[in-house]
Amino acid sequence: MELPQMPELMGLSLLLGLLALVATAAVARGWLRAEEETNGRSAGQKANGCPPDKSLKSKKQKPQQRIRKEKPQQHNFTHRLLAAALKSHSGNITCMDFSSNGKYLATCADDRTVRIWSTKDFLQREHRSMRANVELDHAILVRFSPDCRAFIVWLANGDTLRIFKMMKRDDGGYTFTATPEDFPKKHKAPIVNIGIADTGKFIMTASSDTTILIWNLKGQVLSTINTNHMNNTYAAISPCSRFVASCGFTPDVKVWEVCFGKKGDFQEVVRAFELKGHSAAVHFFAFSNDSRRMASVSKDGTWKLWDTDVEYKKQQDPYLLRTGRFEEASTVPCRLALSPDAQVLALASGSSIHLYNTRRGEKEECFEQVHGECISDLSFDITGRLLASCGDRAVRLFHNTPGYRAVVEEMQALLKRASNESTRQRLQQQLTQAQEALKNLGALKK
């Protein structure tokens, strides 16, 4: 048998080698394509925020889960004089008001509700409240009626007043019903405050321009006051219901008398007196419970206490009783609350509260970072034992230790002048009660 020649054998070998290389390349190309598809699918899943599908059996990817919006955390605050915190609102509280009978506290917030709290629960573990819904709007100001059977609110979007009537149910709770029509829109600038006279004869609304309106309870404007402050920062009705006062850009507080006839018919609004003595704009003011004292705080960095029990119709001016320093007022707007007996002055700047003894003008307590937002309202209850503040979703209540100390000082001074035994026993009893309260709060000075 004859062997093939060498050139023919080499050609056959080269042909077989070439076929082997082509087959290998085809297999490799297919493997790489499959690898790229797998990696591309995994990369796409990771880019969409989903884990890679290990089974690769289903081409459909699961839809992304909806990201749940986290609720803002409630601001935490603790202090030895903190009596309670009221926390039922889901929005920031803008205003509060104690009822004249001392039984209730009304609060309004941007969660479209007004809540009515029972004051007898304040020092208990549970704080009950009743809710009134503000339809299609929310309230920024709230005030009780004198008989505590209704309250009024200022609507944030509607820019007007709405009245809610409170009807007691058989189970002891209340239902809240808004009157069919709101008050007509009259103000042309943002509102700064509202109020109802304790006599029930009129309602006051004040806006940030220079306008104060006096209304009757049916929504009719009785009088328009131009304050000439350039702008108003605050206005209020005195507890005695005789006066309306305002402050603003000018360095004074102006007071008017709202006059009614013997039959209860409205007559006129006349200028009564002014508080003059500040050298810069007045941020805020407040009346004592008997309207015989007023306090004011100004951008000049001072607060002042005034005796307003004067015969203003005979041109007698109010007396300046005390001036104190409050430097924070020179840089930021401040709020002020005066205790019912005018013995304690509370000043709020930012989220902090400062308490002063008005007899000596000394600062006695300071509460820092009380709220997560700037303090929006500040008020003593009608007993003067508690101070309430709001500025986020909670109302915080503080024991008024400067008030108890003022009672101790006053009773000790009166005891020295007491002439009969019955008077001495009564004064001693009040002194002992105040000292016991301070002792229980750990605030009795030795």
Side-chain angles (χ1 to χ4, degrees):
M1 183 174 180
E2 241 179 328
L3 294 172
Q5 295 182 1
M6 186 63 66
E8 293 178 358
L9 182 61
M10 290 180 63
L12 181 60
S13 299
L14 288 173
L15 179 60
L16 292 174
L18 182 61
L19 291 173
L21 286 174
V22 171
T24 302
V27 172
R29 192 180 296 114
W31 180 83
L32 287 172
R33 187 181 294 115
E35 186 71 18
E36 287 174 357
E37 290 177 357
T38 303
N39 291 339
R41 191 178 297 116
S42 299
Q45 290 170 339
K46 290 180 180 178
N48 290 329
C50 300
D53 188 355
K54 295 180 180 179
S55 65
L56 298 179
K57 292 181 180 179
S58 175
K59 295 182 179 179
K60 293 183 179 180
Q61 298 179 12
K62 294 182 179 180
Q64 296 181 19
Q65 293 182 353
R66 184 176 297 174
I67 299 175
R68 185 174 297 175
K69 189 177 181 180
E70 294 184 2
K71 293 182 179 180
Q73 292 184 352
Q74 181 70 277
H75 177 73
N76 292 320
F77 174 82
T78 58
H79 195 278
R80 61 184 178 83
L81 296 180
L82 182 65
L86 314 180
K87 297 182 177 180
S88 289
H89 278 290
S90 61
N92 285 346
I93 302 170
T94 55
C95 184
M96 58 189 176
D97 187 46
F98 284 99
S99 62
S100 58
N101 60 11
K103 293 182 178 181
Y104 305 108
L105 172 68
T107 56
C108 65
D110 57 16
D111 59 6
R112 295 187 174 182
T113 68
V114 174
R115 289 193 175 269
I116 309 297
W117 307 81
S118 174
T119 58
K120 68 179 181 181
D121 296 335
F122 282 176
L123 301 183
Q124 306 298 321
R125 294 187 62 181
E126 299 292 331
H127 305 120
R128 295 178 295 171
S129 67
M130 298 172 287
R131 186 181 69 185
N133 296 320
V134 182
E135 298 294 336
L136 305 175
D137 213 325
H138 70 273
I140 57 174
L141 295 166
V142 60
R143 295 287 178 260
F144 271 111
S145 64
D147 60 6
C148 307
R149 296 178 181 177
F151 59 86
I152 62 172
V153 299
W154 186 265
L155 302 177
N157 299 321
D159 290 326
T160 188
L161 278 176
R162 178 174 295 173
I163 299 176
F164 284 83
K165 294 183 178 180
M166 302 168 57
M167 303 294 292
K168 198 163 188 177
R169 301 194 305 259
D170 294 337
D171 61 0
Y174 283 87
T175 58
F176 306 97
T177 306
T179 53
E181 294 185 4
D182 298 332
F183 276 34
K185 295 182 181 181
K186 294 292 184 180
H187 285 282
K188 298 179 181 179
I191 209 74
V192 296
N193 199 23
I194 62 175
I196 308 179
D198 280 354
T199 57
K201 292 182 178 180
F202 68 94
I203 292 173
M204 177 221 70
T205 59
S207 52
S208 61
D209 44 16
T210 59
T211 304
I212 295 177
L213 298 181
I214 305 298
W215 310 71
N216 63 17
L217 301 187
K218 296 180 180 179
Q220 299 170 332
V221 176
L222 302 176
S223 181
T224 300
I225 303 172
N226 182 359
T227 64
N228 291 314
H229 283 306
M230 294 185 66
N231 68 277
N232 299 331
T233 56
Y234 186 68
I237 303 174
S238 64
C240 67
S241 299
R242 289 180 59 191
F243 305 112
V244 168
S246 69
C247 65
F249 184 78
T250 56
D252 52 14
V253 178
K254 297 176 182 178
V255 184
W256 292 265
E257 183 180 6
V258 183
C259 304
F260 287 83
K262 294 182 179 179
K263 296 182 179 180
D265 54 315
F266 172 76
Q267 293 184 329
E268 61 180 342
V269 176
V270 297
R271 192 69 164 267
F273 55 87
E274 296 180 7
L275 305 182
K276 296 181 179 180
H278 287 293
S279 59
V282 178
H283 293 306
F284 216 85
F285 65 86
F287 289 92
S288 64
N289 195 49
D290 58 7
S291 303
R292 295 182 176 181
R293 298 287 186 272
M294 289 182 70
S296 57
V297 60
S298 167
K299 194 176 180 180
D300 63 11
T302 68
W303 59 264
K304 295 182 182 292
L305 181 70
W306 311 81
D307 179 355
T308 54
D309 186 20
V310 296
E311 295 186 50
Y312 58 89
K313 291 183 178 179
K314 296 181 179 180
Q315 309 302 315
Q316 187 177 8
D317 293 325
Y319 297 103
L320 178 61
L321 299 175
R322 177 76 60 188
T323 297
R325 295 297 305 174
F326 188 61
E327 296 296 340
E328 290 86 341
S330 61
T331 56
V332 294
C334 299
R335 299 189 71 89
L336 176 153
L338 187 62
S339 64
D341 59 5
Q343 299 277 21
V344 181
L345 180 67
L347 291 164
S349 63
S351 61
S352 300
I353 302 173
H354 310 260
L355 298 184
Y356 288 81
N357 179 305
T358 57
R359 277 190 167 192
R360 292 178 274 103
E362 298 175 0
K363 183 192 293 188
E364 294 201 9
E365 300 288 352
C366 182
F367 310 122
E368 299 284 350
Q369 297 181 346
V370 177
H371 296 279
E373 305 286 343
C374 290
I375 292 171
S376 56
D377 208 354
L378 191 68
S379 178
F380 286 93
D381 73 333
I382 64 170
T383 67
R385 297 173 184 172
L386 295 173
L387 173 67
S389 68
C390 60
D392 44 31
R393 290 178 289 152
V395 174
R396 305 201 188 278
L397 300 160
F398 296 90
H399 293 288
N400 181 17
T401 52
Y404 288 118
R405 295 192 191 106
V407 171
V408 170
E409 294 176 12
E410 185 178 15
M411 294 304 105
Q412 288 175 340
L414 291 174
L415 273 171
K416 294 178 181 179
R417 302 195 299 268
S419 57
N420 59 68
E421 186 61 26
S422 62
T423 301
R424 290 184 60 85
Q425 289 180 357
R426 178 175 56 82
L427 295 175
Q428 184 61 51
Q429 183 180 8
Q430 295 181 49
L431 174 61
T432 302
Q433 290 175 347
Q435 289 175 330
E436 190 67 25
L438 288 170
K439 182 179 179 181
N440 293 336
L441 295 171
L444 184 62
K445 292 184 179 181
K446 297 181 179 180

